[in-house]
Amino acid sequence: MLQVVFRILGPLDVQADGNPVPLAGARQRTILSMLLLSANRVVSVDALADAVWHGSPPNTFVNQIAICVSGLRKTFKATVGVDDVIVTMHPGYMLYVGEHRIDAVEFEERTAQAREAARRGNTAEAVELLEEALGMWRGPALEGVAGERVEAEAARLTEMRLDVYEEFTALRLELGQHRELVGELSAFIRENGLREQARAHLMLAQYRSGRRAEALETFREGRSLLIEELGIEPGPVLKELHDAVLADSPRLTLPAEAVAAAPMATNPAQLPSDVASFTGRDEELSFLDQLLDGRSEHTALPVGSITGIGGVGKTALAVHWAHQVAARFPDGQLFADLRGYDEHDKPTTPSAVLDRFLRALGVPGPQIPVDLVERTALFRSVLDSRRVLVVLDNARSFAQVRPLLPGTGRCCVLVTSRDPMQGLAGDYGFVHLSLSALEQDEAAELLARVVGDGRLAADPANAARLSALCDRLPLALRIAAARLAAKPHWTVRTLVARLEDQHRRLDELSQGERGVRAGFRLSYRDLPERAARMYRLLGLLNVPDFAAWVGAALLDIAPEEAEDLIEELVDAQLLEVLSDASTGRVRYRFQDLLRLFACECAMEQEDGPDRRVALQRAFGGWLSLAQEAHRRTYGGDYTVIHGPGYRHQLPERLVVDLLDEPMDWFEVERAAIVGVVDQAAQLDEAAVAWDLAMTSATLFQNRNYPEEWRLCGERALAAARRAGDDIGEAAMLHSLGTLEIVQWRYEEAAERLDVALRLFEQHGEERGQALVLRNLALYQRYRGDLTIARDKAHLALDGFRSVGDHYAEAHVLGMLAQIELERGEPQASLLLSTEAIARSREVGSARGEAQSTVRLAEALISQGEGARAEEACRRALDLVRSTGDRRGEAHALRGLGEAQWRQDRLTEAIETLGEAMLVTRKVPDRFLEARAGLVLACVTALNGDRVAAAGCLTEAERLFGEVGAPVWTARVRRLDELLRGAGAVSTEVFWELLES
């Protein structure tokens, strides 16, 4: 059985074995809060109802409370394996603590222990216990849980916290920590100005720090506040302390035993040597200079923190900056390697560092106390009036650093650590720098400095590639440069070739004990096991970036758990965060070397079957989401063939959130999908590879990504052939055949489509046959054989109707409308376009409706109905612009220009057609650009500018020739001959030539 930890000193939080236990809704949280506030005591149903419904419960409150309690029990049973946490006892329920823990109870226990230690005279122990107790608070008690009773109990706990804090500060004053307390108590008083005891502690701390005037001002401010807020004078504690400060009473000074003997002053200079080849980091150095702004004995201690992954250059930056500003600290510079992440040694204790620091500052060894608290107090006393820079390198935690912080703002501290240092912000003048890799020019300069000859300058391309292969990490760059320097007979390309091999890259950059791999291992070693496994499995993926749901699929856990584990990796500097401000989506990515190390760990620590199953779940997650995105885009499983590849189902609420805009999801996941198809194909997961490739053609075609389309198609085709998967092979041949048509490679398209049709026919795959026939019809139309095109389109139409693919049916109807128009049958085109529009609306396809509406407009134009055609084109424009369909926008603009020409509005038509040309070039679509250019030539000529028209025709002929459209090329030539004639040309002649 797991131990449950209930935390109410802050927002309500329940954990088991470090993992969150989910609570469903506000009512459950209120009921659980009430039970926790009366742990091991019965809480009546009436009291619970009063808390939930704020004194006005419904008639069914008994049943509803029972349902909530039952839900809580099920949650604890399912997630923790316990069913006796909440028991039923008349007249209500009781939370039985048993072996479980409640932070509020532990807070009170720790406080009682501290008070007992103080009564025994062990002040240091009492301070330590109270510090632990106060550290349990994460914010206002039960923050976010509503209800009068809950809020009353929360207020009681908060009042207890304030009392304990005042006890804590009183004990610290006894230990001589007055300088450290000034800033801390000042902030506390700003929030709790009516707490007279805390104000008295602040006055005493200020007085003992030599700030007598400030202590008197603190009293005056408190008196004014008490009179203004409550109409009363300060109590006797404050009044007596005020009088004692005025009189400089001896009783205000520390007892003699709390003051160490004054040390002999020395000026230590402990900084390590600056790095000779230190390069760049100008912005970071300027950022750290903020630590020097406004520094004085009256300001908070300036503390800088540099964090980042091992090898990023934290220590080098800290030491370089420290040397630059050392003159600003005439009383010395202290340096300590705290060994927080040392692979072989334990972290250096604060006590040991203080011993060394105090000796360096001139304190004789016999006068250095043994107790840590006393050493810290002496350290702060010695530095009280001095300007000293303290550099704490390789720190592990705030607990390790805190005793080493001076108590005066005249000093300055710079800390380096792999993880963010919780605790530094708030009480200090805190400046935090998260250090990332070098910029490319900085990386190149570092390489050149270390290598020291002209090889890098002579081969800038490979020098840039070398930087990229090192992730521009200073440690990796120095190792690579040192290898080149030691091998003068190597070219830069020689080393690049060795690093290009992913299986040996870390070996090449891990020469010796302090290589890249060793640095990564230290960060990985300290991860909790579940976070470490998440890191390993993520490293198996060959994708540039990913969302948190991918981690959930890899480990087969809830998305919220996965996100928490991934954020642990971010905190450990093993992953980087990518945020999209426009969508609010968060994605993550590896630096390449870190991914290689993660993959190494997975290969060493995960069994082969476990690795494969984890990857299958991740691949299945992408396939499942892509299929659903395709459905939402097309209104169903239309125009696509699916295979038997595994689909990993994600929670419905997550799917709804991710696919709110399905095409946007495709766009965000585009690079990842390409990586998954490639990796699945390499792992012979052929069914997943070809299904995901075909489903994602939704993105590749609509958003014009032909390179990704071809890469996915070719890799999945090869995998299907290796697996003997005829349907997968045919599906990829069909997909690639479509791409060949889009890129006007008609012979290649015919070869692929003929084989695909034969394979689909052999297996009786009707939908596949219809898809291929549709593409063959399109191919024949572009080639100019409209009769064959019409016949194959009708066969495709019959096939789609047979399998119920309504989207594809609408598309083929639109294609037939275009074919009939080009065959000189505008009336048939009108009927087919109208039917295609109706089918598109039925399946909710705005894109299909827009395409068919443009075809309807073309039919109307051919019959001279320019006004109706213009209305149709404007409707189509609204549709395509709402979906971001740029190709559809170009078609609609070209149709609108023709409609305006039909109405003799030549100036408007020229402007619209010019806009259409601009859009087609952005798509790009050479055939569409040529068609728009041809129409623009006609309108320009009619408007009196035959020279500009001739230029448009020349460009249109070139483009039609490139895409292999002989019918349209012939039309261009006839129009060109007509324009070269001397006579006037009418609109009707142009129309006849365009439609011939």
Side-chain angles (χ1 to χ4, degrees):
M1 181 183 74
L2 298 175
Q3 184 184 58
V4 184
V5 179
F6 299 94
R7 300 200 296 171
I8 63 176
L9 302 181
L12 177 61
D13 179 59
V14 184
Q15 296 189 359
D17 196 28
N19 299 312
V21 176
L23 300 175
R27 290 182 185 176
Q28 281 195 8
R29 300 177 73 83
T30 299
I31 289 172
L32 183 57
S33 298
M34 289 286 290
L35 296 173
L36 286 168
L37 290 168
S38 301
N40 293 325
R41 289 180 290 156
V42 178
V43 182
S44 71
V45 173
D46 289 340
L48 294 173
D50 186 64
V52 170
W53 285 284
H54 310 293
S56 302
N59 295 331
T60 59
F61 74 87
V62 175
N63 287 338
Q64 292 196 46
I65 294 293
I67 290 169
C68 285
V69 171
S70 175
L72 286 168
R73 286 171 171 162
K74 288 178 181 177
T75 296
F76 291 128
K77 179 67 175 178
T79 59
V80 187
V82 297
D83 53 7
D84 60 348
V85 177
I86 302 176
V87 296
T88 303
M89 295 186 70
H90 184 77
Y93 302 92
M94 180 181 78
L95 189 141
Y96 175 67
V97 179
E99 298 298 318
H100 308 303
R101 294 165 49 199
I102 302 175
D103 63 352
V105 174
E106 294 182 348
F107 171 75
E108 294 188 38
E109 290 174 351
R110 200 78 84 250
T111 299
Q113 294 169 5
R115 288 167 178 161
E116 178 59 30
R119 278 193 291 272
R120 295 196 309 267
N122 196 336
T123 306
E125 181 185 351
V127 166
E128 186 175 341
L129 288 166
L130 288 179
E131 186 172 21
E132 289 179 18
L134 291 166
M136 297 177 188
W137 285 80
R138 298 169 292 111
L142 291 169
E143 184 178 17
V145 180
E148 184 176 342
R149 296 196 179 197
V150 173
E151 291 167 1
E153 278 299 305
R156 181 187 68 82
L157 288 169
T158 300
E159 190 67 17
M160 186 187 304
R161 176 192 188 183
L162 298 177
D163 291 340
V164 169
Y165 180 75
E166 289 178 341
E167 292 179 52
F168 178 55
T169 54
L171 292 170
R172 289 169 66 189
L173 283 169
E174 289 182 29
L175 293 175
Q177 298 179 17
H178 44 274
R179 292 190 182 280
E180 185 177 355
L181 279 168
V182 170
E184 193 174 314
L185 280 168
S186 296
F188 181 84
I189 286 298
R190 283 195 292 271
E191 298 294 327
N192 304 276
L194 299 177
R195 303 281 302 192
E196 293 190 53
Q197 187 62 66
R199 189 174 291 274
H201 291 164
L202 174 58
M203 289 175 62
L204 184 55
Q206 289 170 327
Y207 181 83
R208 288 179 176 174
S209 299
R211 305 181 186 183
R212 182 168 176 266
E214 291 180 28
L216 294 171
E217 180 59 25
T218 298
F219 173 84
R220 284 192 290 272
E221 289 175 356
R223 179 175 182 272
S224 298
L225 186 64
L226 286 165
I227 293 172
E228 181 180 344
E229 295 284 334
L230 304 177
I232 60 174
E233 287 285 337
V237 172
L238 276 178
K239 285 182 176 178
E240 290 173 11
L241 182 57
H242 174 258
D243 294 338
V245 170
L246 281 174
D248 284 320
S249 172
R251 71 180 179 84
L252 298 182
T253 59
L254 277 170
E257 60 268 20
V259 182
M264 178 179 66
T266 62
N267 296 335
Q270 296 184 344
L271 294 178
S273 299
D274 201 356
V275 180
S277 57
F278 186 88
T279 303
R281 302 296 196 191
D282 293 337
E283 290 185 12
E284 291 85 350
L285 291 166
S286 297
F287 184 81
L288 290 175
D289 284 343
Q290 295 178 66
L291 292 168
L292 307 177
D293 297 341
R295 188 168 47 86
S296 75
E297 61 183 324
H298 301 299
T299 59
L301 172 69
V303 180
S305 170
I306 305 174
T307 61
I309 188 63
V312 79
K314 303 181 294 296
T315 301
L317 175 63
V319 170
H320 187 75
W321 181 81
H323 277 285
Q324 282 190 339
V325 302
R328 302 280 293 271
F329 298 92
D331 298 314
Q333 305 89 42
L334 298 169
F335 179 91
D337 181 356
L338 300 183
R339 300 185 180 278
Y341 294 87
D342 195 286
E343 189 167 10
H344 304 293
D345 297 331
K346 292 182 179 179
T348 307
T349 65
S351 184
V353 175
L354 283 170
D355 181 79
R356 187 159 59 80
F357 279 0
L358 287 168
R359 291 174 189 272
L361 290 165
V363 179
Q367 294 184 17
I368 298 176
V370 175
D371 182 75
L372 174 62
V373 174
E374 293 177 2
R375 280 191 182 185
T376 299
L378 178 57
F379 177 62
R380 289 171 181 156
S381 297
V382 170
L383 295 182
D384 182 47
S385 59
R386 305 176 72 176
R387 296 181 183 273
V388 173
L389 173 64
V390 182
V391 179
L392 304 174
D393 187 38
N394 200 14
R396 184 57 179 268
S397 65
F398 178 57
Q400 188 186 22
V401 167
R402 182 174 182 176
L404 309 177
L405 300 179
T408 170
R410 295 165 63 89
C411 294
C412 178
V413 178
L414 183 57
V415 183
T416 75
S417 178
R418 299 202 175 193
D419 302 319
M421 194 66 62
Q422 300 297 326
L424 286 175
D427 296 335
Y428 307 96
F430 184 57
V431 172
H432 175 243
L433 175 63
S434 180
L435 197 60
S436 56
L438 292 170
E439 296 296 329
Q440 176 55 41
D441 57 342
E442 295 174 335
E445 184 180 350
L446 190 155
L447 286 170
R449 284 191 179 187
V450 177
V451 175
D453 58 29
R455 279 177 288 175
L456 290 157
D459 191 357
N462 276 308
R465 181 59 182 154
L466 180 59
S467 298
L469 289 169
C470 293
D471 280 343
R472 302 195 308 280
L473 287 176
L475 175 60
L477 290 164
R478 291 181 194 283
I479 293 172
R483 298 207 67 197
L484 272 180
K487 302 281 187 181
H489 56 285
W490 279 10
T491 64
V492 181
R493 177 60 195 158
T494 303
L495 183 55
V496 166
R498 297 171 75 94
L499 296 180
E500 291 276 11
D501 184 350
Q502 293 195 13
H503 298 293
R504 61 184 296 173
R505 190 181 310 167
L506 284 174
D507 293 333
E508 296 285 342
L509 296 175
S510 298
Q511 310 290 320
E513 293 185 359
R514 297 186 64 83
V516 171
R517 184 184 281 113
F520 292 167
R521 187 180 295 115
L522 295 178
S523 295
Y524 173 71
R525 179 194 63 184
D526 293 317
L527 291 174
E529 174 49 35
R530 297 183 78 225
R533 186 158 195 257
M534 175 68 80
Y535 174 65
R536 294 194 298 268
L537 294 181
L538 285 170
L540 293 172
L541 289 168
N542 184 26
V543 296
D545 52 64
F546 50 86
W549 68 260
V550 177
L554 282 167
L555 268 67
D556 199 15
I557 59 177
E560 294 80 8
E561 293 180 72
E563 186 171 12
D564 288 344
L565 292 175
I566 289 173
E567 286 295 334
E568 287 187 49
L569 300 181
V570 172
D571 292 341
Q573 312 289 328
L574 295 172
L575 283 178
E576 296 178 334
V577 178
L578 300 173
S579 297
D580 187 336
S582 62
T583 64
R585 303 287 187 193
V586 175
R587 295 179 70 80
Y588 306 89
R589 72 178 175 195
F590 280 107
Q591 288 185 337
D592 202 37
L593 290 173
L594 281 166
R595 188 190 68 78
L596 292 177
F597 179 71
C599 187
E600 276 189 4
C601 294
M603 300 304 287
E604 293 171 0
Q605 300 175 44
E606 299 284 340
D607 292 336
D610 291 341
R611 295 197 302 267
R612 193 168 192 100
V613 169
L615 284 173
Q616 284 173 341
R617 284 195 299 264
F619 296 166
W622 267 292
L623 180 55
S624 177
L625 286 169
Q627 182 172 338
E628 183 59 28
H630 178 93
R631 286 195 191 109
R632 294 178 183 221
T633 301
Y634 285 84
D637 265 328
Y638 299 142
T639 72
V640 71
I641 298 169
H642 290 303
Y646 172 72
R647 287 157 174 74
H648 182 74
Q649 298 302 322
L650 297 165
E652 180 61 26
R653 55 184 170 76
L654 176 63
V655 174
V656 170
D657 179 55
L658 290 173
L659 302 183
D660 180 50
E661 293 290 342
M663 287 306 298
D664 289 348
W665 178 85
F666 267 125
E667 188 71 61
V668 169
E669 294 287 350
R670 172 169 56 93
I673 286 172
V674 174
V676 169
V677 170
D678 186 21
Q679 189 174 10
Q682 290 181 41
L683 296 175
D684 289 328
E685 297 283 348
V688 170
W690 71 255
D691 197 337
L692 183 57
M694 189 171 196
T695 305
S696 300
T698 303
L699 165 72
F700 300 145
Q701 186 168 12
N702 288 5
R703 297 289 174 90
N704 195 43
Y705 294 114
E707 293 82 6
E708 289 90 338
W709 188 354
R710 185 173 297 281
L711 174 63
C712 288
E714 295 287 7
R715 297 292 167 82
L717 175 62
R721 284 173 169 165
R722 287 196 303 271
D725 185 343
D726 287 350
I727 296 296
E729 180 181 354
M732 289 299 91
L733 287 170
H734 152 74
S735 180
L736 289 167
T738 306
L739 176 59
E740 307 295 14
I741 292 174
V742 169
Q743 295 190 320
W744 311 287
R745 299 168 52 157
Y746 298 120
E747 298 306 322
E748 293 88 341
E751 290 176 9
R752 292 186 186 273
L753 293 172
D754 286 342
V755 178
L757 184 60
R758 185 173 67 253
L759 288 171
F760 281 137
E761 288 173 344
Q762 288 174 3
H763 290 272
E765 173 52 63
E766 281 191 87
R767 189 192 302 269
Q769 294 176 56
L771 286 169
V772 175
L773 286 166
R774 180 192 65 176
N775 280 358
L776 287 170
L778 186 62
Y779 157 69
Q780 294 293 348
R781 179 202 155 209
Y782 283 139
R783 297 297 293 165
D785 198 328
L786 297 178
T787 301
I788 296 178
R790 182 184 61 178
D791 293 344
K792 290 193 180 297
H794 276 294
L795 289 173
L797 183 62
D798 292 341
F800 289 131
R801 284 173 172 168
S802 174
V803 298
D805 192 331
H806 304 304
Y807 186 97
E809 177 187 353
H811 184 265
V812 174
L813 284 168
M815 183 191 299
L816 279 166
Q818 187 69 44
I819 292 171
E820 293 294 359
L821 183 63
E822 291 173 8
R823 292 181 69 248
E825 300 290 342
Q827 192 58 40
S829 179
L830 279 171
L831 294 173
L832 286 163
S833 297
T834 302
E835 187 178 358
I837 291 169
R839 288 286 182 275
S840 296
R841 287 175 179 168
E842 287 174 9
V843 296
S845 171
R847 187 167 180 263
E849 181 183 349
Q851 290 174 343
S852 296
T853 301
V854 171
R855 292 190 180 101
L856 176 67
E858 290 177 332
L860 291 169
I861 288 168
S862 70
Q863 294 188 321
E865 298 190 42
R868 288 181 60 196
E870 179 177 356
E871 181 183 348
C873 287
R874 293 194 183 280
R875 187 164 63 249
L877 268 177
D878 290 340
L879 288 168
V880 295
R881 284 173 172 167
S882 68
T883 60
D885 180 4
R886 299 306 299 274
R887 180 175 275 103
E889 182 181 2
H891 276 290
L893 286 168
R894 190 229 346 128
L896 177 60
E898 291 186 18
Q900 290 167 334
W901 172 20
R902 265 296 186 192
Q903 299 172 77
D904 293 324
R905 289 153 46 197
L906 300 183
T907 302
E908 291 178 58
I910 290 171
E911 183 178 340
T912 302
L913 291 166
E915 186 180 354
M917 294 280 285
L918 290 175
V919 176
T920 59
R921 288 167 186 156
K922 292 177 182 177
V923 172
D925 186 325
R926 283 177 284 175
F927 180 81
L928 182 53
E929 183 183 349
R931 283 203 61 186
L934 178 56
V935 179
L936 181 60
C938 295
V939 180
T940 304
L942 286 169
N943 205 41
D945 191 345
R946 292 200 178 194
V947 174
C952 290
L953 287 177
T954 300
E955 182 63 12
E957 182 178 3
R958 182 185 67 81
L959 292 170
F960 281 133
E962 286 182 5
V963 302
V967 173
W968 288 95
T969 302
R971 287 174 181 167
V972 171
R973 289 172 180 167
R974 288 198 298 271
L975 282 169
D976 186 51
E977 291 174 3
L978 188 66
L979 287 178
R980 291 178 187 277
V985 184
S986 66
T987 292
E988 288 71 20
V989 172
F990 279 122
W991 281 115
E992 287 176 8
L993 281 171
L994 283 177
E995 296 174 355
S996 61

